[in-house]
Amino acid sequence: MIDIALNARGAAVPGKAIAARLGLPARHLEPILQALARAGLLASSRGIGGGYELARERRRITLADIVAAVDTADPAPSNAAIDLALAAAEAALHDTLRRITLERLLKDIPPEARRDGDYHI
């Protein structure tokens, strides 16, 4: 999401370009990008000039939105006491993530890191 926010500039960003900058195989990144698009966080287009763009303003995308979109982990078996504790921890984490926007993350990236593509968090 950060890569797209930094590099879209009015044009879609190809998934292969994102993967190359992040040092990831495109086949591993593509399902994540598709999940973000299904959640309405990214807009995707195919063909020449295709790729991904933010589907909302930066200030309207929170980390909670992003985590919810890509969270594909299966819940591990547990007991009722553990489930209650985990639910409380997840609620607190979700509240914190809801207050952090993509725009805020972008402001924390130093200009030299933006130029070098070294914006891993």
Side-chain angles (χ1 to χ4, degrees):
M1 293 293 291
I2 289 171
D3 186 275
I4 293 166
L6 288 173
N7 293 297
R9 298 184 187 110
V13 180
K16 287 183 180 181
I18 299 165
R21 279 190 292 273
L22 298 177
L24 299 170
R27 69 182 181 280
H28 290 132
L29 183 60
E30 194 62 34
I32 295 168
L33 295 171
Q34 291 172 359
L36 292 164
R38 281 192 303 275
L41 301 176
L42 293 177
S44 64
S45 56
R46 293 182 177 201
I48 296 173
Y52 296 90
E53 300 177 78
L54 296 180
R56 299 187 211 163
E57 297 171 330
R58 295 172 177 180
R59 64 184 173 86
R60 297 190 61 227
I61 299 173
T62 67
L63 288 181
D65 297 330
I66 296 167
V67 169
V70 298
D71 187 17
T72 58
D74 293 327
S78 60
N79 64 39
I82 292 172
D83 288 344
L84 286 174
L86 288 176
E90 281 184 12
L93 175 62
H94 186 74
D95 285 342
T96 300
L97 294 178
R98 208 170 341 150
R99 291 189 298 268
I100 303 171
T101 65
L102 186 55
E103 182 176 49
R104 179 176 164 200
L105 285 176
L106 291 167
K107 287 181 181 177
D108 292 339
I109 299 173
E112 62 277 3
R114 290 173 183 236
R115 285 189 302 276
D116 299 340
D118 187 21
Y119 40 79
H120 300 278
I121 298 175

